[in-house]
Amino acid sequence: DTGVSQNPRHKITKRGQNVTFRCDPISEHNRLYWYRQTLGQGPEFLTYFQNEAQLEKSRLLSDRFSAERPKGSFSTLEIQRTEQGDSAMYLCASSLGGKTQYFGPGTRLLVL
Amino acid sequence: KQEVTQIPAALSVPEGENLVLNCSFTDSAIYNLQWFRQDPGKGLTSLLLIQSSQREQTSGRLNASLDKSSGRSTLYIAASQPGDSATYLCAPGRNSGYALNFGKGTSLLVTP
């Protein structure tokens, strides 16, 4: 399968803990996006990379959130000092330039 | 800020009917527009991509149109099947960075 993959698929953590999610994009795609989706809502943009450069961050991405894409391949999204409001599905997508964005299956985070 | 509205929020039809899902957006300065389907608890599956210079795209039983100047797109599904039951999401892409803005979606149920 050469689609976008995300790990872990599910994560349960206690408030105040740090969590890290990984996204592996389609191999030739230079753009990688992170979105967050809460129940009953459409996904909301968080940040995106072109190759290894992080070019835009949404206001939703507080300073507790950090994302990296070393070497322009996989990406990680870390949330420090998690809060219950961070509970959501975290979605990763990749694309070649401005073409179709392909989404991964998501990581569902529950903060207790 | 781009606002995306999808009407109706929910729709139930008998198998075999043709149906139209509507999407409107407030900022017509878009790069492209994607339609996705999302099954419960899953990631997003891309259905169609329309570039801003195009008026429509077709894939199988699906046809999407775009009227960029009026901020509208429609997704037409012909001869609906129970397997089409899902949430359909409309997402215009920004000119800068191509990040997608999503509506809340239309929840479709096709009954046998």
Side-chain angles (χ1 to χ4, degrees):
Chain A
D1 183 21
T2 57
V4 179
S5 62
Q6 293 187 245
N7 287 289
R9 296 290 306 278
H10 303 273
K11 180 70 177 179
I12 300 174
T13 191
K14 293 183 179 179
R15 190 176 52 187
Q17 297 294 305
N18 299 343
V19 294
T20 300
F21 310 140
R22 176 177 171 128
C23 171
D24 287 272
I26 293 170
S27 59
E28 67 269 23
H29 285 183
N30 59 344
R31 285 186 176 244
L32 187 149
Y33 302 81
W34 285 98
Y35 296 85
R36 180 173 72 185
Q37 185 177 27
T38 53
L39 205 59
Q41 304 295 316
E44 296 173 291
F45 167 73
L46 294 178
T47 187
Y48 88 91
F49 293 83
Q50 178 164 301
N51 301 313
E52 67 277 6
Q54 187 175 18
L55 296 185
E56 185 179 349
K57 294 194 288 187
S58 160
R59 291 172 302 155
L60 294 175
L61 216 64
S62 75
D63 54 11
R64 296 184 298 106
F65 288 70
S66 63
E68 294 182 338
R69 192 184 181 196
K71 304 177 184 177
S73 56
F74 69 92
S75 176
T76 58
L77 178 67
E78 180 184 16
I79 308 175
Q80 296 182 327
R81 305 181 304 280
T82 52
E83 302 173 355
Q84 288 183 324
D86 297 332
S87 296
M89 173 84 90
Y90 289 83
L91 294 162
C92 174
S94 71
S95 70
L96 191 58
K99 297 184 179 179
T100 300
Q101 289 189 28
Y102 294 92
F103 279 73
T107 294
R108 185 172 296 282
L109 172 67
L110 178 60
V111 182
L112 300 175
Chain B
K1 180 179 181 282
Q2 178 76 280
E3 301 288 341
V4 182
T5 303
Q6 291 190 245
I7 294 173
L11 182 62
S12 180
V13 300
E15 181 176 8
E17 277 204 4
N18 302 325
L19 54 101
V20 175
L21 308 182
N22 295 292
C23 170
S24 62
F25 46 94
T26 55
D27 185 353
S28 61
I30 63 171
Y31 185 79
N32 57 26
L33 186 142
Q34 276 189 253
W35 280 93
F36 295 88
R37 69 173 279 168
Q38 186 172 32
D39 295 285
K42 307 289 186 182
L44 279 65
T45 300
S46 179
L47 298 173
L48 289 162
L49 170 77
I50 311 177
Q51 296 293 349
S52 61
S53 58
Q54 296 177 315
R55 297 287 298 200
E56 64 180 275
Q57 278 287 339
T58 298
S59 176
R61 295 183 293 109
L62 305 179
N63 175 277
S65 68
L66 174 64
D67 184 343
K68 183 180 156 185
S69 60
S70 68
R72 296 185 183 196
S73 178
T74 60
L75 180 67
Y76 175 83
I77 303 176
S80 58
Q81 302 171 358
D84 295 331
S85 298
T87 296
Y88 289 80
L89 293 157
C90 161
R94 299 185 214 156
N95 269 330
S96 174
Y98 317 131
L100 300 174
N101 294 104
F102 286 85
K104 291 184 180 182
T106 293
S107 178
L108 173 65
L109 177 64
V110 182
T111 56

